[in-house]
Amino acid sequence: MYEPGDVRVEEREDPKIIEPSDAIIRLAATCICGSDLWPYRGVAPVDHQAMGHEYVGIVEEVGAEVETVKVGDFVVGSFVISDNTCEICQTGFQSKCVHAQFVDGTIGTQAERARIPFADGTLVATPGQPSEDLIPSLLAVSDVLGTGWFGAVAAEAGPGKTVAVVGDGAVGLMAVLAARELGAERIVIFSRHQDRQELARFYGATDIIEERGDEGVAKLKELTGGLGAHSVVEAVGTQQSFMQAIGSTRPGGHLSYVGVPGEVQIPAMPLFFSEIHTLGGPAPVRRFLPDLIQLVWDRKIDPGKVFDLTLPLDRAAEGYEAMDQRTAIKVLLTL
Ligand SMILES: [Zn+2]
């Protein structure tokens, strides 16, 4: 991305092994993330940046120290590089690894090939070569499903719980899927788009609220005996969505926030008086990769349905435009 709104596909140098813990992968597919829209819209700074942080592909080369993946393996990786061995990783927060590095902006996986540092700690091999139709779902694991899953786990979605999801983008929809898989009793999504409501129902939403802001909170309270939801996942990252999420969480409940925030300021008073648990941030997708890959492999979940537009990589600019205009939920780029 040269500058906001200016996406170009051009030749870059082929990646090479630099560190002995590196792997080089040939991508099988990649995609555009909602968070890529922040620089696209000029909300986050961008200047000739290599874009993309979601990826699946085949290992082409490994450094001398790589042990868990080998040449020819089909792998899924997290959007944050991690060693998966440090103290932070061992507690399940691999996205804050002492060696953490964002794939976005530095490696940039909207590309044919990529160098993945700390391959053992970042990549997980699938049980075999996937059939073509599984690739979108495996790609979803790399970020959007992993992030929605973290949102649901961090909000402590589970049996007997009412879960509310703020945001009907791909991450919000994946949080619905995760809440269902984790056994939530009732799953409410805030959405005013017909096509997204349908997909939310497919993934397990039991109730849909079209109102936003305070009206949305009031509607949710109506549905929950005036209490609010036990678990709330914030998957947008705007001022309104964040305040709506805080307002939707019942006292003693759990709020997670996994939408990358734009310019959001959280006033302390409403947060203080809400008396809620909060946890959020870039999802430690690596924690969930083995289980989520297996769920996809066994065809128990179908996260790949969030991709509603597929374009070849060299038409990436059109994909950004479609997501920016909200004519597509999420764009898969083929190679
Ligand atoms: Zn680590």
Side-chain angles (χ1 to χ4, degrees):
M1 189 179 296
Y2 274 51
E3 58 180 7
D6 184 1
V7 174
R8 304 184 198 181
V9 180
E10 58 186 31
E11 285 300 320
R12 290 161 59 196
E13 211 177 310
D14 272 334
K16 293 192 231 0
I17 299 281
I18 299 172
E19 300 292 337
S21 56
D22 290 349
I24 304 297
I25 63 166
R26 177 163 48 83
L27 279 93
T30 183
C31 54
I32 303 171
C33 182
S35 66
D36 293 333
L37 296 179
W38 293 127
Y40 188 79
R41 291 171 177 163
V43 177
V46 62
D47 180 14
H48 294 77
Q49 187 168 306
M51 299 299 294
H53 54 268
E54 296 152 282
Y55 55 100
V56 291
I58 292 173
V59 177
E60 281 198 330
E61 203 182 339
V62 293
E65 286 174 10
V66 175
E67 288 176 349
T68 61
V69 296
K70 56 185 192 303
V71 172
D73 281 353
F74 192 94
V75 292
V76 185
S78 161
F79 66 92
V80 187
I81 302 300
S82 59
D83 59 20
N84 207 30
T85 55
C86 76
E87 280 189 45
I88 305 296
C89 282
Q90 284 178 1
T91 59
F93 287 87
Q94 289 90 338
S95 43
K96 297 299 291 180
C97 173
V98 299
H99 291 114
Q101 175 193 342
F102 280 96
V103 171
D104 187 56
T106 54
I107 297 164
T109 51
Q110 286 162 9
E112 294 170 321
R113 288 188 169 74
R115 177 180 79 94
I116 306 297
F118 294 99
D120 284 336
T122 304
L123 302 173
V124 174
T126 56
Q129 294 299 321
S131 57
E132 199 67 27
D133 66 316
L134 275 183
I135 288 179
S137 285
L138 289 168
L139 177 62
V141 172
S142 178
D143 177 357
V144 67
L145 174 62
T147 295
W149 197 275
F150 173 60
V153 168
E156 305 219 336
K161 299 280 186 74
T162 294
V163 179
V165 177
V166 181
D168 61 0
V171 170
L173 293 167
M174 294 294 93
V176 169
L177 179 161
R180 183 196 64 196
E181 290 299 308
L182 293 165
E185 187 174 302
R186 194 168 190 188
I187 306 169
V188 185
I189 187 165
F190 291 93
S191 171
R192 50 175 61 173
H193 302 91
Q194 189 71 40
D195 53 335
R196 295 170 190 230
Q197 292 176 0
E198 273 168 33
L199 203 46
R201 294 244 187 232
F202 170 80
Y203 282 130
T206 56
D207 300 87
I208 288 164
I209 297 177
E210 296 206 348
E211 288 82 355
R212 287 185 187 172
D214 292 342
E215 283 174 37
V217 171
K219 198 86 187 182
L220 178 74
K221 291 208 167 155
E222 247 172 62
L223 288 179
T224 54
L227 302 177
H230 302 92
S231 305
V232 177
V233 181
E234 198 291 314
V236 181
T238 63
Q239 186 73 30
Q240 185 188 51
S241 65
F242 225 111
M243 296 314 294
Q244 186 179 329
I246 291 172
S248 298
T249 314
R250 67 170 62 188
H254 290 78
L255 165 66
S256 69
Y257 42 99
V258 292
V260 179
E263 285 172 18
V264 178
Q265 302 281 339
I266 307 299
M269 287 299 253
L271 182 61
F272 179 80
F273 281 104
S274 67
E275 204 135 355
I276 58 175
H277 304 262
T278 65
L279 174 60
V285 170
R286 181 62 177 80
R287 187 205 307 178
F288 307 111
L289 279 183
D291 289 346
L292 296 183
I293 288 171
Q294 198 61 49
L295 284 173
V296 168
W297 197 261
D298 296 339
R299 296 180 187 271
K300 290 187 173 146
I301 56 173
D302 190 3
K305 279 177 86 83
V306 291
F307 294 106
D308 57 349
L309 178 62
T310 297
L311 292 169
L313 179 67
D314 61 11
R315 289 170 62 189
E318 287 171 53
Y320 276 80
E321 203 183 335
M323 281 180 63
D324 180 47
Q325 300 297 318
R326 290 178 72 94
T327 56
I329 299 173
K330 195 164 174 72
V331 177
L332 185 137
L333 299 171
T334 56
L335 295 137

